[in-house]
């Protein structure tokens, strides 16, 4: 795939990251960790910060 199209590869990577974030993190993430930083949540859940940010965006939170 890398030889074919880097844009398509990036799209697949975004889809894979989104799938992983949804699979690994519950929707009640902020109920479990009120007032915790993204880094702290990632550490406690055993995932990278990117997945926490994706999950929060999917839950409708504005992450700048």
């Amino acid at each position: 795939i890398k030889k074919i199209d880097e844009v398509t590869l990036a799209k697949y990577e975004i889809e894979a990251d989104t799938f992983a974030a949804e699979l690994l993190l519950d929707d009640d993430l902020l109920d479990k960790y009120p007032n915790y930083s993204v880094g702290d949540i990632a550490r406690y859940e055993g995932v990278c910060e990117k997945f926490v940010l994706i999950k929060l965006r999917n839950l409708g939170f504005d992450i700048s």
Side-chain angles (χ1 to χ4, degrees), residues 7-33:
V7 173
T8 302
L9 177 63
K11 178 183 169 189
Y12 288 144
E13 287 185 18
I14 291 168
E15 283 183 22
D17 289 344
T18 301
F19 178 79
E22 290 297 328
L23 179 69
L24 296 171
L25 298 168
D26 293 329
D27 287 347
D28 66 347
L29 191 63
L30 292 180
D31 292 334
K32 288 170 57 175
Y33 304 105

Side-chain angles (χ1 to χ4, degrees), residues 45-61:
E45 289 291 317
V47 299
C48 63
E49 290 183 21
K50 174 171 59 172
F51 290 167
V52 175
L53 290 171
I54 291 169
K55 182 66 177 187
L56 292 175
R57 280 191 201 109
N58 289 347
L59 290 172
F61 293 94

